Amino acid sequence: MRILVLTALLSLAGSFQPATPLRRPALRALLEVTDEYGFVDEAATLQANRDRTGFPIPPDDLIARAKEVIVKKQNLQDPSVFDDSIYADDFRFVAPFVGGATSTTGEKIGFTKQEFLASLRSFDLLKAFPNLNNRYHAFRVDVFEPNRVWFQTRAKATHTGELMGAAPTGTSLELPPEALSMTFNREGQVELFTVGYVIDRTAGNTGGLGGAFGYFWGTGNPLPFPECQPFKGSIQLRLLGALQKLLPKD
């Protein structure tokens, strides 16, 4: 009986998927050195992939470059000072719900360099949160993609300035931990910047929301989209959860 119910549930879940099979992009050949338990020898794997790609920037220098980009970005609001050459001409910016629908066929998605800069200049978060501290940490080079630096934030801030027309609330926010990455070209320019990927939505006081969405929701100014609200799940997913509770107990 239990197997039949589980089969029905899986069939129900499948009914909400696209009917047409999706074409998947070919995976890049990534080298790895692992032991019998699946633990990666990080130093050996990183070196193997550096040799494979011929990427010229050493890991420590690449991390320093990522930090330099973060510092230089502080001048973004002043075009007369800001050096936009830190971003490659073919730069892309991607966040969980920003930059277009997820590609299933390998096409590039995300904001272009011009769209990214214009978007940030139209929305200065520091005016609303002058004491914003992103608390950047955990910088490391991806052992599979030696031109990519991963890092994390656990931002905190107090709403003491106007937020897109909304009056200050004095609310102190702590956002959940988020994963970010910068992928560089051989000249040391950022060609892909990913942000806002929440690692633990149970942490902080912004409803599990990261990025700009967390600041809006946490100050009582939520944007009117499901993606900008604390996660509840689709009706289909909640129905599936309710049906699972009806399964007979062993």
Side-chain angles (χ1 to χ4, degrees), residues 61-120:
D61 292 348
L62 198 64
I63 289 173
R65 179 59 174 162
K67 293 180 179 180
E68 181 183 1
V69 169
I70 292 172
V71 172
K72 287 186 174 181
K73 181 174 169 287
Q74 305 306 312
N75 295 320
L76 187 143
Q77 296 299 331
D78 186 352
S80 67
V81 177
F82 179 67
D83 177 15
D84 68 4
S85 68
I86 59 176
Y87 303 115
D89 290 340
D90 60 349
F91 169 87
R92 287 290 185 275
F93 170 80
V94 181
F97 304 112
V98 176
T102 301
S103 172
T104 58
T105 54
E107 298 94 348
K108 283 187 176 181
I109 65 169
F111 283 1
T112 64
K113 178 176 178 175
Q114 292 72 27
E115 291 169 334
F116 170 69
L117 296 177
S119 176
L120 289 187

Side-chain angles (χ1 to χ4, degrees), residues 16-38:
F16 301 120
Q17 302 304 313
T20 304
L22 298 174
R23 291 183 295 127
R24 304 296 182 187
L27 295 176
R28 286 173 288 180
L30 305 178
L31 300 181
E32 62 183 61
V33 180
T34 59
D35 65 15
E36 60 182 308
Y37 301 105

Side-chain angles (χ1 to χ4, degrees), residues 9-226:
L9 290 176
L10 292 173
S11 298
L12 178 65
S15 69
F16 301 120
Q17 302 304 313
T20 304
L22 298 174
R23 291 183 295 127
R24 304 296 182 187
L27 295 176
R28 286 173 288 180
L30 305 178
L31 300 181
E32 62 183 61
V33 180
T34 59
D35 65 15
E36 60 182 308
Y37 301 105
F39 293 110
V40 172
D41 183 326
E42 297 186 17
T45 298
L46 175 58
Q47 187 59 55
N49 283 299
R50 288 194 69 209
D51 293 342
R52 172 182 63 84
T53 61
F55 187 69
I57 304 176
D60 288 346
D61 292 348
L62 198 64
I63 289 173
R65 179 59 174 162
K67 293 180 179 180
E68 181 183 1
V69 169
I70 292 172
V71 172
K72 287 186 174 181
K73 181 174 169 287
Q74 305 306 312
N75 295 320
L76 187 143
Q77 296 299 331
D78 186 352
S80 67
V81 177
F82 179 67
D83 177 15
D84 68 4
S85 68
I86 59 176
Y87 303 115
D89 290 340
D90 60 349
F91 169 87
R92 287 290 185 275
F93 170 80
V94 181
F97 304 112
V98 176
T102 301
S103 172
T104 58
T105 54
E107 298 94 348
K108 283 187 176 181
I109 65 169
F111 283 1
T112 64
K113 178 176 178 175
Q114 292 72 27
E115 291 169 334
F116 170 69
L117 296 177
S119 176
L120 289 187
R121 285 173 178 151
S122 68
F123 174 50
D124 187 359
L125 203 59
L126 284 175
K127 287 185 177 180
F129 302 92
N131 69 340
L132 171 61
N133 182 354
N134 280 298
R135 297 194 286 185
Y136 297 106
H137 62 282
F139 286 80
R140 67 272 188 198
V141 171
D142 191 319
V143 299
F144 299 104
E145 297 178 81
N147 62 330
R148 189 173 199 171
V149 175
W150 290 95
F151 53 103
Q152 296 171 208
T153 61
R154 292 200 69 154
K156 61 178 182 179
T158 306
H159 184 206
T160 56
E162 188 176 278
L163 178 63
M164 299 291 284
T169 62
T171 304
S172 293
L173 301 181
E174 290 196 18
L175 275 71
E178 301 175 43
L180 304 85
S181 78
M182 294 182 194
T183 303
F184 293 84
N185 62 22
R186 291 172 177 268
E187 288 69 45
Q189 296 173 302
V190 182
E191 58 183 13
L192 175 65
F193 186 25
T194 66
V195 308
Y197 291 87
V198 171
I199 299 171
D200 178 9
R201 61 187 171 95
T202 68
N205 62 356
T206 59
L209 297 169
F213 298 165
Y215 294 99
F216 280 104
W217 188 88
T219 56
N221 301 289
L223 300 176
F225 312 107

